[in-house]
């Protein structure tokens, strides 16, 4: 009988401590505390100016020098990290008060990108009359000038050769618009307006974009009255060097 009473006594004490511990944990979990840390990318470079917020609340801050952040939250809350060009990251607050968070760059891809006078755009949202000719679509063979590369590849682009091997083909993109028409298109080579197309070899051309209408050529003013041909040449790429 004495053993039974002792067991009940110690059992009651243990149950009392358990209830007190649960109450303490519950109170601790519901209390906001200061959460600090650093936000970095995969190369361990600090992300400065990123947004840090507590999900479902109005609490927010931004990362400072070294990607440091400080915000009040409680155990179980989720911190949301967002920054332009990076994937959003969520972190669930545990027992710790200091965290090092790593975010990854957003993997975005553009399909059917075309070059326009003011930059690059997706063909999906393009409203101007622009034709993009890829390298594999250009004419092959003994090519002497760019005109021969495009012959028969762009609707509305008239290319005619005089028969003189030392004279480039005549390129007419838009019809008669002035007293001196037809004039040659305005060439832009690797972003340089008005460059001489004869200065580059046809084998060095990576892609050609032909701007036809006024909306696409407006940035070049009256120089683009006869259309614009944007030429992009081949260039080195990052990676292991290859020789052939």
């Amino acid at each position: 009988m004495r053993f039974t009473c002792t067991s009940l006594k110690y059992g009651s004490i243990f149950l009392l401590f358990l209830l007190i511990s649960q109450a303490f944990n519950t109170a601790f979990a519901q209390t906001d505390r200061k959460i600090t840390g650093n936000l970095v990318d995969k190369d361990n470079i600090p992300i400065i100016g990123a947004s840090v917020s507590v999900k479902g609340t109005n609490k927010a801050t931004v990362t400072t020098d070294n990607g440091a952040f400080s915000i009040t939250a409680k155990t179980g809350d989720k911190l949301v990290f967002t920054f332009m060009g990076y994937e959003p990251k969520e972190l669930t607050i545990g027992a710790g008060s200091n965290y090092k968070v790593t975010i990854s760059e957003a993997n975005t891809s553009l399909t059917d990108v075309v070059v326009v006078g003011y930059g690059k755009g997706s063909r999906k949202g393009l409203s101007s009359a622009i034709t993009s000719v890829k390298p594999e679509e250009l004419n092959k063979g003994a090519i002497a000038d760019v005109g021969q590369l495009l012959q028969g590849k762009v609707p509305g682009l008239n290319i005619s050769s005089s028969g003189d091997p030392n004279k480039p083909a005549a390129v007419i993109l838009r019809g008669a618009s002035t007293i001196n028409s037809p004039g040659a298109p305005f060439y832009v080579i690797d972003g340089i307006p008005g460059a001489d197309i004869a200065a580059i070899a046809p084998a060095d051309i990576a892609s050609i974009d032909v701007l036809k209408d006024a909306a696409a050529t407006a940035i070049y003013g009256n120089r683009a009255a006869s259309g614009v041909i944007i030429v992009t040449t081949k260039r080195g790429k990052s990676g292991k060097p290859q020789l052939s």
Side-chain angles (χ1 to χ4, degrees):
M1 187 66 179
R2 181 179 298 176
F3 177 77
T4 303
C5 291
T6 304
S7 299
L8 290 175
K9 180 180 179 181
Y10 283 106
S12 300
I13 295 174
F14 176 77
L15 182 60
L16 180 60
F17 274 111
L18 182 61
L19 292 175
I20 295 174
S21 177
Q22 289 181 346
F24 177 78
N25 290 336
T26 301
F28 180 77
Q30 298 300 324
T31 303
D32 284 347
R33 67 183 193 276
K34 186 177 181 180
I35 304 297
T36 59
N38 296 87
L39 182 65
V40 298
D41 63 6
K42 62 180 181 179
D43 297 322
N44 205 35
I45 298 176
I47 303 297
I48 301 174
S51 173
V52 183
S53 61
V54 180
K55 191 174 184 179
T57 69
N58 294 326
K59 298 177 183 178
T61 185
V62 294
T63 56
T64 58
D65 295 342
N66 298 323
F69 65 89
S70 177
I71 195 170
T72 58
K74 57 180 178 293
T75 302
D77 282 346
K78 290 185 177 181
L79 297 185
V80 181
F81 301 86
T82 56
F83 190 67
M84 183 178 296
Y86 289 81
E87 297 287 351
K89 181 70 175 289
E90 290 190 3
L91 172 69
T92 302
I93 299 300
S97 298
N98 187 270
Y99 298 89
K100 184 176 182 180
V101 184
T102 303
I103 58 175
S104 303
E105 293 184 6
N107 294 323
T108 56
S109 59
L110 297 176
T111 57
D112 293 331
V113 174
V114 293
V115 179
V116 295
Y118 42 82
K120 296 181 180 179
S122 173
R123 185 176 296 278
K124 182 178 180 180
L126 191 65
S127 59
S128 302
I130 298 176
T131 300
S132 181
V133 184
K134 299 179 181 179
E136 58 270 16
E137 298 173 347
L138 297 172
N139 292 324
K140 309 297 181 182
I143 304 298
D145 60 77
V146 177
Q148 295 178 6
L149 284 175
L150 292 173
Q151 197 162 17
K153 299 297 181 180
V154 180
L157 182 63
N158 299 317
I159 300 174
S160 58
S161 301
S162 63
D164 186 351
N166 297 320
K167 187 176 181 180
V171 180
I172 302 175
L173 180 56
R174 298 174 66 175
S177 57
T178 66
I179 192 171
N180 294 322
S181 290
F186 185 69
Y187 290 96
V188 179
I189 303 175
D190 290 333
I192 302 176
D196 186 7
I197 192 61
I200 61 174
D204 293 336
I205 295 177
S207 64
I208 299 177
D209 295 272
V210 182
L211 315 185
K212 300 178 183 179
D213 65 350
T217 62
I219 190 174
Y220 299 110
N222 59 0
R223 298 177 297 176
S226 298
V228 177
I229 295 180
I230 299 179
V231 179
T232 303
T233 60
K234 297 177 182 178
R235 61 193 65 190
K237 299 179 180 180
S238 60
K240 296 181 180 180
Q242 296 181 353
L243 300 178
S244 60

